[in-house]
Amino acid sequence: MKTITMILLTIFLGKSCTNEAQNDLTNTTIQYTANTRGFYQKIVIINQKATISRDRNEGALPEEIKISDADWKELVSAFAKINLEEIPKLKDPTQKRFYDGAAIANVKIRYQNQDYVTTDFDHGFPPKEIEKLVNKIVALAKEKE
């Protein structure tokens, strides 16, 4: 009986945590920006939709895509593992942007009316704590190129 109770409790709590993370991401805005002299990319994720801008002057209309359920699950999973309070303190693993070896990138997360912004890092080389989330966001934009 104890075994069955533990199994049911584990299943229930596991689903509850997943749903909570999904609800959190549904009510969250994630903005990834990367730019250099000849390159610009801004990806905004809101409620299972992504808006991709490749024109810094916003002369061209941004492209809007619906994020598939599988990709959304990956984003939810990656977001659930991030400590938002630590976002501004994350260290960049490389400094290629200082000699034009990479575009300058950053992430801004708006969660419960509060903004969490990373320091600048190299496009393609995000801090390890947000690497899965950033790589998934960038991959969504590459699929639509």
Side-chain angles (χ1 to χ4, degrees):
M1 187 67 178
K2 286 182 182 181
T3 305
I4 293 173
T5 304
M6 292 301 287
I7 291 172
L8 291 175
L9 197 59
T10 303
I11 291 171
F12 175 73
L13 289 176
K15 286 186 179 182
S16 173
C17 291
T18 302
N19 289 338
E20 185 178 312
Q22 185 164 352
N23 288 338
D24 284 350
L25 191 54
T26 300
N27 299 316
T28 301
T29 301
I30 302 173
Q31 177 180 303
Y32 175 81
T33 307
N35 70 78
T36 190
R37 283 178 277 192
F39 174 78
Y40 179 80
Q41 184 177 61
K42 178 177 169 185
I43 307 163
V44 180
I45 308 258
I46 303 173
N47 197 16
Q48 208 162 349
K49 289 183 184 165
T51 304
I52 305 163
S53 301
R54 292 186 174 85
D55 181 5
R56 84 179 73 239
N57 300 323
E58 299 190 18
L61 290 174
E63 180 181 1
E64 188 173 297
I65 60 170
K66 180 169 179 3
I67 299 171
S68 72
D69 290 340
D71 288 337
W72 185 250
K73 268 185 152 175
E74 286 183 53
L75 285 170
V76 167
S77 175
F79 179 75
K81 295 175 184 170
I82 295 173
N83 179 353
L84 294 175
E85 298 297 326
E86 294 296 316
I87 292 254
K89 301 173 192 167
L90 298 178
K91 300 290 181 202
D92 54 339
T94 59
Q95 287 83 37
K96 294 180 180 189
R97 65 192 177 282
F98 295 137
Y99 56 86
D100 290 338
I104 300 167
N106 64 40
V107 174
K108 177 180 176 183
I109 299 174
R110 180 144 186 89
Y111 176 73
Q112 294 183 348
N113 295 323
Q114 187 168 354
D115 291 333
Y116 302 91
V117 183
T118 64
T119 56
D120 291 342
F121 57 89
D122 295 342
H123 175 61
F125 303 93
K128 65 178 179 181
E129 295 86 351
I130 60 171
E131 184 175 21
K132 285 185 179 183
L133 180 69
V134 170
N135 288 344
K136 187 61 188 173
I137 291 169
V138 172
L140 290 172
K142 281 185 180 179
E143 291 174 8
K144 297 300 172 186
E145 284 184 345

